Amino acid sequence: QKEVEQNSGPLSVPEGAIASLNCTYSDRGSQSFFWYRQYSGKSPELIMFIYSNGDKEDGRFTAQLNKASQYVSLLIRDSQPSDSATYLCAASYGNNRLAFGKGNQVVVIP
Amino acid sequence: SQTIHQWPATLVQPVGSPLSLECTVEGTSNPNLYWYRQAAGRGLQLLFYSVGIGQISSEVPQNLSASRPQDRQFILSSKKLLLSDSGFYLCAWSYGGETLDTQYFGPGTRLTVL
């Protein structure tokens, strides 16, 4: 069973601050990593993906990947109330499948 | 652009009743298709995936089944629902035949079994 772990509890951040989310994965063969955002009662929507070690920036979001440590992170800069959601980390494995973590809830306090 | 549809949006069914959920994708050909279930407080569980018409792979043994009668249509079924089948059912697609793994989700069906 491929595992993706997101162990942090709900994260509360003040508006304008940086939110930091972490994720570890078990399959060393995973090549692709994804962050999805899921608002309450809605389906997940893709925020960004990362394939290579290092940082990838897209607007206020930065994904970081360290394959040696099997670790993926997501930084949200200048957090806004609209960023309040659950963030799901996913890692690829065979036959175009993804394994998802249970998610981290982020609450941005105005 | 690609669009994915799911229906119904919500469903309340008694235990022991049958189930049929439908998913269709527009704007792409030969997609990979996936069915997930998200139970309350739990992560996304992959139920079935398909890489082509009539090709279904099951991830978890259960009383559910899936079919892909057309290239862009994916159906999730059950003959007799259990209480434990309640949850948020999500269909997703990705580009077929490529190395890109990105999956895009439909709006979901919220199923309550009473």
Side-chain angles (χ1 to χ4, degrees), chain B residues 25-92:
Chain B
V25 179
E26 297 177 352
T28 188
S29 296
N30 195 31
N32 297 325
L33 296 172
Y34 309 82
W35 278 114
Y36 290 89
R37 178 171 59 205
Q38 189 175 40
R42 301 184 65 179
L44 284 169
Q45 180 185 32
L46 179 63
L47 302 175
F48 301 94
Y49 70 97
S50 171
V51 298
I53 296 174
Q55 301 179 60
I56 309 295
S57 296
S58 174
E59 288 287 300
V60 181
Q62 59 217 326
N63 69 321
L64 299 172
S65 62
S67 62
R68 185 170 177 174
Q70 301 180 40
D71 181 44
R72 290 169 288 178
Q73 183 184 31
F74 206 21
I75 297 173
L76 183 70
S77 303
S78 175
K79 293 182 179 179
K80 290 185 177 182
L81 284 168
L82 306 173
L83 285 174
S84 58
D85 290 325
S86 293
F88 192 35
Y89 287 81
L90 292 156
C91 181

Short mmCIF file of all heavy atoms in Angstrom, two decimals, chain B residues 25-92:
data_model
loop_
_atom_site.label_atom_id
_atom_site.label_comp_id
_atom_site.label_asym_id
_atom_site.label_seq_id
_atom_site.Cartn_x
_atom_site.Cartn_y
_atom_site.Cartn_z
N VAL B 25 -16.71 12.68 -19.47
CA VAL B 25 -15.66 13.66 -19.72
C VAL B 25 -15.84 14.20 -21.13
O VAL B 25 -16.12 13.42 -22.06
CB VAL B 25 -14.26 13.03 -19.57
CG1 VAL B 25 -13.16 14.05 -19.86
CG2 VAL B 25 -14.09 12.46 -18.17
N GLU B 26 -15.65 15.49 -21.30
CA GLU B 26 -15.73 16.12 -22.62
C GLU B 26 -14.41 16.78 -22.95
O GLU B 26 -13.67 17.20 -22.07
CB GLU B 26 -16.85 17.19 -22.63
CG GLU B 26 -18.24 16.65 -22.39
CD GLU B 26 -19.27 17.77 -22.33
OE1 GLU B 26 -18.87 18.95 -22.33
OE2 GLU B 26 -20.48 17.46 -22.27
N GLY B 27 -14.11 16.84 -24.23
CA GLY B 27 -12.96 17.61 -24.67
C GLY B 27 -11.64 16.87 -24.71
O GLY B 27 -10.59 17.49 -24.94
N THR B 28 -11.66 15.56 -24.55
CA THR B 28 -10.44 14.77 -24.65
C THR B 28 -10.82 13.37 -25.09
O THR B 28 -11.97 12.95 -24.94
CB THR B 28 -9.67 14.74 -23.32
OG1 THR B 28 -8.39 14.12 -23.52
CG2 THR B 28 -10.44 13.99 -22.24
N SER B 29 -9.85 12.65 -25.63
CA SER B 29 -10.10 11.28 -26.07
C SER B 29 -9.22 10.31 -25.31
O SER B 29 -8.10 10.64 -24.91
CB SER B 29 -9.80 11.14 -27.58
OG SER B 29 -10.67 11.95 -28.32
N ASN B 30 -9.74 9.12 -25.10
CA ASN B 30 -9.02 8.04 -24.44
C ASN B 30 -8.41 8.47 -23.10
O ASN B 30 -7.22 8.21 -22.85
CB ASN B 30 -7.92 7.49 -25.35
CG ASN B 30 -7.39 6.15 -24.85
OD1 ASN B 30 -8.12 5.37 -24.25
ND2 ASN B 30 -6.11 5.89 -25.08
N PRO B 31 -9.20 9.10 -22.25
CA PRO B 31 -8.64 9.48 -20.95
C PRO B 31 -8.51 8.28 -20.03
O PRO B 31 -9.19 7.27 -20.21
CB PRO B 31 -9.67 10.47 -20.41
CG PRO B 31 -10.96 9.95 -20.97
CD PRO B 31 -10.62 9.45 -22.36
N ASN B 32 -7.64 8.38 -19.03
CA ASN B 32 -7.69 7.47 -17.90
C ASN B 32 -8.81 7.99 -16.99
O ASN B 32 -8.93 9.20 -16.79
CB ASN B 32 -6.38 7.46 -17.14
CG ASN B 32 -5.22 6.95 -17.97
OD1 ASN B 32 -5.38 6.06 -18.81
ND2 ASN B 32 -4.05 7.53 -17.77
N LEU B 33 -9.59 7.07 -16.44
CA LEU B 33 -10.71 7.47 -15.58
C LEU B 33 -10.60 6.77 -14.22
O LEU B 33 -10.13 5.63 -14.15
CB LEU B 33 -12.04 7.12 -16.25
CG LEU B 33 -12.33 7.86 -17.56
CD1 LEU B 33 -13.58 7.30 -18.23
CD2 LEU B 33 -12.49 9.35 -17.30
N TYR B 34 -11.04 7.46 -13.20
CA TYR B 34 -10.87 6.98 -11.82
C TYR B 34 -12.15 7.22 -11.02
O TYR B 34 -12.82 8.23 -11.20
CB TYR B 34 -9.73 7.73 -11.12
CG TYR B 34 -8.43 7.77 -11.90
CD1 TYR B 34 -8.24 8.73 -12.90
CD2 TYR B 34 -7.41 6.87 -11.63
CE1 TYR B 34 -7.05 8.77 -13.61
CE2 TYR B 34 -6.21 6.91 -12.35
CZ TYR B 34 -6.04 7.87 -13.34
OH TYR B 34 -4.87 7.91 -14.04
N TRP B 35 -12.45 6.29 -10.12
CA TRP B 35 -13.47 6.50 -9.10
C TRP B 35 -12.81 6.47 -7.73
O TRP B 35 -12.07 5.54 -7.40
CB TRP B 35 -14.54 5.40 -9.13
CG TRP B 35 -15.61 5.58 -10.14
CD1 TRP B 35 -15.86 4.82 -11.23
CD2 TRP B 35 -16.63 6.58 -10.14
NE1 TRP B 35 -16.95 5.29 -11.92
CE2 TRP B 35 -17.44 6.38 -11.27
CE3 TRP B 35 -16.95 7.65 -9.28
CZ2 TRP B 35 -18.54 7.17 -11.58
CZ3 TRP B 35 -18.04 8.44 -9.60
CH2 TRP B 35 -18.82 8.21 -10.73
N TYR B 36 -13.09 7.51 -6.93
CA TYR B 36 -12.61 7.60 -5.56
C TYR B 36 -13.81 7.71 -4.62
O TYR B 36 -14.87 8.19 -5.00
CB TYR B 36 -11.76 8.86 -5.35
CG TYR B 36 -10.41 8.87 -6.02
CD1 TYR B 36 -10.26 9.34 -7.32
CD2 TYR B 36 -9.27 8.45 -5.34
CE1 TYR B 36 -9.02 9.38 -7.93
CE2 TYR B 36 -8.02 8.49 -5.94
CZ TYR B 36 -7.92 8.96 -7.22
OH TYR B 36 -6.68 9.01 -7.81
N ARG B 37 -13.58 7.33 -3.38
CA ARG B 37 -14.54 7.61 -2.32
C ARG B 37 -13.82 8.34 -1.20
O ARG B 37 -12.70 7.99 -0.82
CB ARG B 37 -15.17 6.32 -1.76
CG ARG B 37 -16.14 6.57 -0.60
CD ARG B 37 -16.90 5.32 -0.21
NE ARG B 37 -16.01 4.25 0.21
CZ ARG B 37 -16.34 2.95 0.14
NH1 ARG B 37 -17.51 2.58 -0.33
NH2 ARG B 37 -15.48 2.03 0.54
N GLN B 38 -14.50 9.35 -0.68
CA GLN B 38 -13.98 10.11 0.44
C GLN B 38 -15.00 10.02 1.57
O GLN B 38 -16.06 10.65 1.50
CB GLN B 38 -13.73 11.56 0.06
CG GLN B 38 -12.98 12.37 1.10
CD GLN B 38 -12.66 13.77 0.58
OE1 GLN B 38 -13.48 14.40 -0.10
NE2 GLN B 38 -11.48 14.27 0.88
N ALA B 39 -14.71 9.20 2.58
CA ALA B 39 -15.60 9.09 3.73
C ALA B 39 -15.27 10.20 4.71
O ALA B 39 -14.18 10.76 4.69
CB ALA B 39 -15.44 7.71 4.37
N ALA B 40 -16.22 10.50 5.56
CA ALA B 40 -16.06 11.59 6.53
C ALA B 40 -14.80 11.39 7.36
O ALA B 40 -14.60 10.32 7.95
CB ALA B 40 -17.29 11.68 7.44
N GLY B 41 -13.93 12.41 7.37
CA GLY B 41 -12.73 12.35 8.18
C GLY B 41 -11.64 11.45 7.63
O GLY B 41 -10.63 11.22 8.30
N ARG B 42 -11.83 10.96 6.42
CA ARG B 42 -10.82 10.07 5.84
C ARG B 42 -10.32 10.63 4.53
O ARG B 42 -10.91 11.53 3.94
CB ARG B 42 -11.42 8.69 5.63
CG ARG B 42 -11.92 8.06 6.92
CD ARG B 42 -12.42 6.65 6.70
NE ARG B 42 -11.35 5.75 6.28
CZ ARG B 42 -11.55 4.45 6.04
NH1 ARG B 42 -12.74 3.93 6.15
NH2 ARG B 42 -10.54 3.69 5.67
N GLY B 43 -9.23 10.07 4.05
CA GLY B 43 -8.65 10.53 2.80
C GLY B 43 -9.36 9.96 1.59
O GLY B 43 -10.34 9.23 1.68
N LEU B 44 -8.85 10.31 0.43
CA LEU B 44 -9.38 9.80 -0.83
C LEU B 44 -8.95 8.35 -1.02
O LEU B 44 -7.76 8.05 -1.02
CB LEU B 44 -8.89 10.63 -1.99
CG LEU B 44 -9.54 11.99 -2.19
CD1 LEU B 44 -8.77 12.81 -3.20
CD2 LEU B 44 -10.97 11.82 -2.65
N GLN B 45 -9.92 7.48 -1.22
CA GLN B 45 -9.63 6.07 -1.45
C GLN B 45 -9.92 5.73 -2.91
O GLN B 45 -11.06 5.90 -3.36
CB GLN B 45 -10.50 5.21 -0.53
CG GLN B 45 -10.29 3.71 -0.69
CD GLN B 45 -11.26 2.89 0.14
OE1 GLN B 45 -12.39 3.30 0.38
NE2 GLN B 45 -10.81 1.73 0.59
N LEU B 46 -8.91 5.28 -3.64
CA LEU B 46 -9.11 4.88 -5.02
C LEU B 46 -9.89 3.57 -5.06
O LEU B 46 -9.49 2.59 -4.44
CB LEU B 46 -7.77 4.72 -5.73
CG LEU B 46 -7.83 4.28 -7.20
CD1 LEU B 46 -8.56 5.31 -8.06
CD2 LEU B 46 -6.42 4.04 -7.74
N LEU B 47 -11.01 3.58 -5.79
CA LEU B 47 -11.85 2.39 -5.90
C LEU B 47 -11.57 1.63 -7.20
O LEU B 47 -11.36 0.42 -7.19
CB LEU B 47 -13.33 2.79 -5.85
CG LEU B 47 -13.78 3.56 -4.62
CD1 LEU B 47 -15.24 3.99 -4.79
CD2 LEU B 47 -13.61 2.73 -3.36
N PHE B 48 -11.63 2.33 -8.31
CA PHE B 48 -11.43 1.72 -9.63
C PHE B 48 -10.70 2.71 -10.53
O PHE B 48 -10.82 3.92 -10.36
CB PHE B 48 -12.78 1.38 -10.29
CG PHE B 48 -13.64 0.44 -9.51
CD1 PHE B 48 -14.61 0.92 -8.66
CD2 PHE B 48 -13.49 -0.94 -9.64
CE1 PHE B 48 -15.42 0.07 -7.93
CE2 PHE B 48 -14.29 -1.81 -8.92
CZ PHE B 48 -15.25 -1.31 -8.06
N TYR B 49 -9.98 2.14 -11.50
CA TYR B 49 -9.45 2.99 -12.56
C TYR B 49 -9.51 2.24 -13.87
O TYR B 49 -9.58 1.01 -13.90
CB TYR B 49 -8.04 3.49 -12.24
CG TYR B 49 -6.95 2.45 -12.27
CD1 TYR B 49 -6.15 2.29 -13.40
CD2 TYR B 49 -6.69 1.66 -11.15
CE1 TYR B 49 -5.14 1.35 -13.42
CE2 TYR B 49 -5.68 0.72 -11.17
CZ TYR B 49 -4.90 0.58 -12.29
OH TYR B 49 -3.89 -0.36 -12.31
N SER B 50 -9.52 3.03 -14.96
CA SER B 50 -9.69 2.46 -16.29
C SER B 50 -8.79 3.19 -17.28
O SER B 50 -8.77 4.42 -17.31
CB SER B 50 -11.15 2.57 -16.72
OG SER B 50 -11.29 2.20 -18.08
N VAL B 51 -8.09 2.43 -18.10
CA VAL B 51 -7.23 3.03 -19.12
C VAL B 51 -7.85 2.92 -20.51
O VAL B 51 -7.27 3.40 -21.48
CB VAL B 51 -5.82 2.41 -19.11
CG1 VAL B 51 -5.14 2.67 -17.78
CG2 VAL B 51 -5.88 0.92 -19.40
N GLY B 52 -9.03 2.30 -20.61
CA GLY B 52 -9.69 2.19 -21.91
C GLY B 52 -11.04 1.52 -21.77
O GLY B 52 -11.40 1.00 -20.71
N ILE B 53 -11.81 1.52 -22.86
CA ILE B 53 -13.14 0.93 -22.87
C ILE B 53 -13.07 -0.52 -22.41
O ILE B 53 -12.25 -1.30 -22.92
CB ILE B 53 -13.77 1.01 -24.27
CG1 ILE B 53 -13.99 2.47 -24.66
CG2 ILE B 53 -15.11 0.26 -24.30
CD1 ILE B 53 -14.49 2.64 -26.08
N GLY B 54 -13.91 -0.86 -21.44
CA GLY B 54 -13.98 -2.23 -20.96
C GLY B 54 -12.83 -2.67 -20.08
O GLY B 54 -12.81 -3.81 -19.60
N GLN B 55 -11.85 -1.79 -19.84
CA GLN B 55 -10.70 -2.13 -19.02
C GLN B 55 -10.85 -1.48 -17.65
O GLN B 55 -10.74 -0.27 -17.52
CB GLN B 55 -9.40 -1.65 -19.68
CG GLN B 55 -9.15 -2.23 -21.05
CD GLN B 55 -7.87 -1.69 -21.67
OE1 GLN B 55 -6.79 -1.87 -21.13
NE2 GLN B 55 -8.00 -1.01 -22.80
N ILE B 56 -11.12 -2.33 -16.66
CA ILE B 56 -11.36 -1.84 -15.31
C ILE B 56 -10.42 -2.54 -14.35
O ILE B 56 -10.30 -3.76 -14.38
CB ILE B 56 -12.82 -2.12 -14.85
CG1 ILE B 56 -13.82 -1.63 -15.89
CG2 ILE B 56 -13.06 -1.49 -13.48
CD1 ILE B 56 -13.86 -0.14 -16.09
N SER B 57 -9.77 -1.77 -13.49
CA SER B 57 -8.94 -2.35 -12.44
C SER B 57 -9.52 -1.94 -11.10
O SER B 57 -9.87 -0.78 -10.89
CB SER B 57 -7.50 -1.85 -12.55
OG SER B 57 -6.92 -2.30 -13.74
N SER B 58 -9.63 -2.91 -10.20
CA SER B 58 -10.20 -2.66 -8.88
C SER B 58 -9.08 -2.55 -7.86
O SER B 58 -8.16 -3.36 -7.86
CB SER B 58 -11.14 -3.81 -8.51
OG SER B 58 -11.59 -3.65 -7.17
N GLU B 59 -9.18 -1.54 -7.03
CA GLU B 59 -8.16 -1.34 -5.99
C GLU B 59 -8.55 -1.99 -4.67
O GLU B 59 -7.70 -2.45 -3.93
CB GLU B 59 -7.94 0.16 -5.76
CG GLU B 59 -7.20 0.84 -6.88
CD GLU B 59 -5.72 0.49 -6.90
OE1 GLU B 59 -5.03 0.77 -5.91
OE2 GLU B 59 -5.27 -0.08 -7.90
N VAL B 60 -9.82 -1.98 -4.37
CA VAL B 60 -10.27 -2.44 -3.05
C VAL B 60 -11.45 -3.38 -3.22
O VAL B 60 -12.44 -3.01 -3.84
CB VAL B 60 -10.69 -1.25 -2.16
CG1 VAL B 60 -11.13 -1.74 -0.80
CG2 VAL B 60 -9.56 -0.23 -2.04
N PRO B 61 -11.39 -4.59 -2.70
CA PRO B 61 -12.54 -5.50 -2.80
C PRO B 61 -13.71 -4.98 -1.98
O PRO B 61 -13.55 -4.53 -0.88
CB PRO B 61 -12.01 -6.81 -2.22
CG PRO B 61 -10.82 -6.45 -1.42
CD PRO B 61 -10.24 -5.23 -2.03
N GLN B 62 -14.89 -4.98 -2.57
CA GLN B 62 -16.05 -4.41 -1.92
C GLN B 62 -17.28 -4.80 -2.74
O GLN B 62 -17.17 -5.52 -3.72
CB GLN B 62 -15.93 -2.90 -1.89
CG GLN B 62 -15.80 -2.30 -3.29
CD GLN B 62 -14.85 -1.13 -3.29
OE1 GLN B 62 -14.76 -0.38 -2.35
NE2 GLN B 62 -14.11 -0.99 -4.37
N ASN B 63 -18.44 -4.27 -2.37
CA ASN B 63 -19.66 -4.61 -3.10
C ASN B 63 -19.95 -3.64 -4.22
O ASN B 63 -21.08 -3.55 -4.68
CB ASN B 63 -20.84 -4.68 -2.13
CG ASN B 63 -21.20 -3.30 -1.60
OD1 ASN B 63 -20.33 -2.49 -1.32
ND2 ASN B 63 -22.49 -3.03 -1.48
N LEU B 64 -18.94 -2.89 -4.68
CA LEU B 64 -19.11 -1.96 -5.77
C LEU B 64 -18.48 -2.53 -7.04
O LEU B 64 -17.58 -3.37 -6.97
CB LEU B 64 -18.45 -0.62 -5.43
CG LEU B 64 -18.99 0.13 -4.22
CD1 LEU B 64 -18.10 1.33 -3.92
CD2 LEU B 64 -20.42 0.56 -4.44
N SER B 65 -18.95 -2.07 -8.18
CA SER B 65 -18.35 -2.45 -9.46
C SER B 65 -18.32 -1.22 -10.35
O SER B 65 -19.00 -0.22 -10.09
CB SER B 65 -19.14 -3.58 -10.13
OG SER B 65 -20.47 -3.15 -10.40
N ALA B 66 -17.52 -1.27 -11.39
CA ALA B 66 -17.41 -0.15 -12.32
C ALA B 66 -17.45 -0.67 -13.74
O ALA B 66 -17.06 -1.82 -14.01
CB ALA B 66 -16.13 0.64 -12.07
N SER B 67 -17.91 0.18 -14.64
CA SER B 67 -17.92 -0.18 -16.05
C SER B 67 -17.58 1.05 -16.88
O SER B 67 -17.79 2.19 -16.45
CB SER B 67 -19.28 -0.74 -16.47
OG SER B 67 -20.30 0.23 -16.29
N ARG B 68 -17.05 0.79 -18.05
CA ARG B 68 -16.70 1.87 -18.99
C ARG B 68 -17.24 1.47 -20.35
O ARG B 68 -16.53 0.91 -21.17
CB ARG B 68 -15.20 2.11 -19.04
CG ARG B 68 -14.79 3.29 -19.90
CD ARG B 68 -13.33 3.61 -19.71
NE ARG B 68 -12.89 4.69 -20.58
CZ ARG B 68 -11.68 5.23 -20.53
NH1 ARG B 68 -10.80 4.78 -19.66
NH2 ARG B 68 -11.36 6.21 -21.35
N PRO B 69 -18.52 1.77 -20.58
CA PRO B 69 -19.14 1.34 -21.83
C PRO B 69 -18.74 2.19 -23.04
O PRO B 69 -18.82 1.70 -24.18
CB PRO B 69 -20.64 1.50 -21.54
CG PRO B 69 -20.71 2.54 -20.47
CD PRO B 69 -19.47 2.37 -19.64
N GLN B 70 -18.31 3.41 -22.82
CA GLN B 70 -17.85 4.28 -23.89
C GLN B 70 -16.55 4.94 -23.46
O GLN B 70 -16.21 4.95 -22.27
CB GLN B 70 -18.90 5.36 -24.21
CG GLN B 70 -20.25 4.80 -24.64
CD GLN B 70 -21.24 5.90 -24.96
OE1 GLN B 70 -20.89 6.92 -25.56
NE2 GLN B 70 -22.49 5.70 -24.55
N ASP B 71 -15.85 5.52 -24.42
CA ASP B 71 -14.52 6.07 -24.17
C ASP B 71 -14.50 7.08 -23.03
O ASP B 71 -13.57 7.12 -22.23
CB ASP B 71 -13.98 6.72 -25.45
CG ASP B 71 -12.59 7.30 -25.27
OD1 ASP B 71 -11.74 6.62 -24.65
OD2 ASP B 71 -12.35 8.43 -25.75
N ARG B 72 -15.53 7.93 -22.95
CA ARG B 72 -15.52 9.01 -21.98
C ARG B 72 -16.64 8.89 -20.96
O ARG B 72 -17.08 9.87 -20.38
CB ARG B 72 -15.62 10.35 -22.73
CG ARG B 72 -14.36 10.67 -23.52
CD ARG B 72 -14.54 11.84 -24.45
NE ARG B 72 -15.37 11.49 -25.60
CZ ARG B 72 -15.71 12.34 -26.55
NH1 ARG B 72 -15.32 13.60 -26.48
NH2 ARG B 72 -16.47 11.96 -27.56
N GLN B 73 -17.09 7.65 -20.71
CA GLN B 73 -18.14 7.41 -19.75
C GLN B 73 -17.69 6.35 -18.75
O GLN B 73 -17.19 5.28 -19.13
CB GLN B 73 -19.41 6.94 -20.47
CG GLN B 73 -20.60 6.72 -19.56
CD GLN B 73 -21.80 6.15 -20.31
OE1 GLN B 73 -21.64 5.42 -21.29
NE2 GLN B 73 -22.99 6.47 -19.86
N PHE B 74 -17.89 6.64 -17.49
CA PHE B 74 -17.46 5.74 -16.42
C PHE B 74 -18.61 5.63 -15.43
O PHE B 74 -19.16 6.64 -14.99
CB PHE B 74 -16.22 6.31 -15.73
CG PHE B 74 -15.32 5.31 -15.09
CD1 PHE B 74 -15.33 3.96 -15.44
CD2 PHE B 74 -14.40 5.71 -14.11
CE1 PHE B 74 -14.46 3.05 -14.85
CE2 PHE B 74 -13.53 4.80 -13.51
CZ PHE B 74 -13.57 3.48 -13.88
N ILE B 75 -19.00 4.40 -15.11
CA ILE B 75 -20.17 4.18 -14.26
C ILE B 75 -19.77 3.37 -13.03
O ILE B 75 -19.03 2.39 -13.14
CB ILE B 75 -21.27 3.45 -15.05
CG1 ILE B 75 -21.74 4.33 -16.21
CG2 ILE B 75 -22.45 3.10 -14.14
CD1 ILE B 75 -22.69 3.64 -17.16
N LEU B 76 -20.25 3.79 -11.89
CA LEU B 76 -20.04 3.08 -10.63
C LEU B 76 -21.37 2.49 -10.19
O LEU B 76 -22.37 3.20 -10.16
CB LEU B 76 -19.50 4.03 -9.56
CG LEU B 76 -19.16 3.40 -8.21
CD1 LEU B 76 -17.93 2.50 -8.33
CD2 LEU B 76 -18.91 4.49 -7.15
N SER B 77 -21.36 1.21 -9.84
CA SER B 77 -22.62 0.53 -9.53
C SER B 77 -22.49 -0.31 -8.27
O SER B 77 -21.40 -0.69 -7.86
CB SER B 77 -23.02 -0.38 -10.69
OG SER B 77 -23.13 0.33 -11.90
N SER B 78 -23.68 -0.61 -7.73
CA SER B 78 -23.78 -1.59 -6.65
C SER B 78 -25.13 -2.27 -6.76
O SER B 78 -26.13 -1.62 -7.11
CB SER B 78 -23.64 -0.93 -5.28
OG SER B 78 -23.86 -1.88 -4.25
N LYS B 79 -25.18 -3.54 -6.44
CA LYS B 79 -26.46 -4.25 -6.45
C LYS B 79 -27.20 -4.04 -5.15
O LYS B 79 -28.42 -3.95 -5.11
CB LYS B 79 -26.23 -5.73 -6.70
CG LYS B 79 -25.71 -6.05 -8.09
CD LYS B 79 -25.54 -7.55 -8.28
CE LYS B 79 -25.04 -7.85 -9.70
NZ LYS B 79 -24.84 -9.31 -9.91
N LYS B 80 -26.45 -3.96 -4.03
CA LYS B 80 -27.06 -3.78 -2.71
C LYS B 80 -26.17 -2.89 -1.86
O LYS B 80 -25.08 -3.30 -1.46
CB LYS B 80 -27.26 -5.12 -2.01
CG LYS B 80 -28.33 -6.00 -2.61
CD LYS B 80 -28.54 -7.26 -1.76
CE LYS B 80 -29.66 -8.12 -2.32
NZ LYS B 80 -29.89 -9.33 -1.48
N LEU B 81 -26.64 -1.71 -1.55
CA LEU B 81 -25.85 -0.77 -0.78
C LEU B 81 -25.77 -1.15 0.70
O LEU B 81 -26.72 -1.68 1.28
CB LEU B 81 -26.44 0.64 -0.89
CG LEU B 81 -26.18 1.37 -2.21
CD1 LEU B 81 -27.05 2.61 -2.30
CD2 LEU B 81 -24.71 1.73 -2.35
N LEU B 82 -24.61 -0.84 1.29
CA LEU B 82 -24.40 -1.01 2.71
C LEU B 82 -24.30 0.37 3.36
O LEU B 82 -24.01 1.36 2.69
CB LEU B 82 -23.09 -1.77 2.96
CG LEU B 82 -22.91 -3.12 2.25
CD1 LEU B 82 -21.50 -3.63 2.48
CD2 LEU B 82 -23.95 -4.12 2.72
N LEU B 83 -24.51 0.41 4.67
CA LEU B 83 -24.35 1.69 5.38
C LEU B 83 -22.96 2.27 5.15
O LEU B 83 -22.79 3.49 5.00
CB LEU B 83 -24.58 1.50 6.87
CG LEU B 83 -26.03 1.31 7.33
CD1 LEU B 83 -26.06 0.98 8.83
CD2 LEU B 83 -26.86 2.56 7.04
N SER B 84 -21.96 1.39 5.11
CA SER B 84 -20.57 1.83 4.96
C SER B 84 -20.26 2.39 3.58
O SER B 84 -19.16 2.91 3.34
CB SER B 84 -19.62 0.66 5.25
OG SER B 84 -19.89 -0.42 4.37
N ASP B 85 -21.22 2.31 2.66
CA ASP B 85 -21.01 2.89 1.32
C ASP B 85 -21.26 4.40 1.29
O ASP B 85 -20.99 5.04 0.28
CB ASP B 85 -21.92 2.20 0.30
CG ASP B 85 -21.51 0.76 0.03
OD1 ASP B 85 -20.29 0.48 0.03
OD2 ASP B 85 -22.41 -0.08 -0.17
N SER B 86 -21.77 4.94 2.37
CA SER B 86 -21.98 6.39 2.42
C SER B 86 -20.66 7.12 2.24
O SER B 86 -19.62 6.69 2.74
CB SER B 86 -22.60 6.79 3.77
OG SER B 86 -23.90 6.29 3.90
N GLY B 87 -20.71 8.25 1.53
CA GLY B 87 -19.50 9.03 1.32
C GLY B 87 -19.63 9.95 0.14
O GLY B 87 -20.69 10.07 -0.47
N PHE B 88 -18.52 10.59 -0.16
CA PHE B 88 -18.44 11.53 -1.28
C PHE B 88 -17.69 10.81 -2.40
O PHE B 88 -16.53 10.46 -2.25
CB PHE B 88 -17.70 12.78 -0.80
CG PHE B 88 -17.76 13.96 -1.72
CD1 PHE B 88 -18.89 14.22 -2.47
CD2 PHE B 88 -16.69 14.83 -1.81
CE1 PHE B 88 -18.95 15.33 -3.30
CE2 PHE B 88 -16.75 15.95 -2.64
CZ PHE B 88 -17.88 16.20 -3.39
N TYR B 89 -18.40 10.56 -3.51
CA TYR B 89 -17.82 9.81 -4.61
C TYR B 89 -17.33 10.78 -5.68
O TYR B 89 -18.08 11.61 -6.19
CB TYR B 89 -18.84 8.83 -5.19
CG TYR B 89 -19.05 7.66 -4.27
CD1 TYR B 89 -19.91 7.76 -3.17
CD2 TYR B 89 -18.38 6.45 -4.47
CE1 TYR B 89 -20.08 6.69 -2.31
CE2 TYR B 89 -18.55 5.38 -3.62
CZ TYR B 89 -19.41 5.51 -2.54
OH TYR B 89 -19.58 4.44 -1.68
N LEU B 90 -16.07 10.61 -6.02
CA LEU B 90 -15.43 11.52 -6.96
C LEU B 90 -14.92 10.75 -8.17
O LEU B 90 -14.27 9.72 -8.04
CB LEU B 90 -14.26 12.23 -6.29
CG LEU B 90 -14.67 13.23 -5.20
CD1 LEU B 90 -13.54 13.44 -4.23
CD2 LEU B 90 -15.07 14.55 -5.83
N CYS B 91 -15.22 11.28 -9.33
CA CYS B 91 -14.67 10.77 -10.58
C CYS B 91 -13.55 11.70 -11.00
O CYS B 91 -13.63 12.93 -10.78
CB CYS B 91 -15.77 10.71 -11.64
SG CYS B 91 -15.25 10.07 -13.24
N ALA B 92 -12.51 11.16 -11.55
CA ALA B 92 -11.38 11.97 -12.02
C ALA B 92 -10.90 11.43 -13.36
O ALA B 92 -11.14 10.28 -13.70
CB ALA B 92 -10.25 11.98 -11.00
#
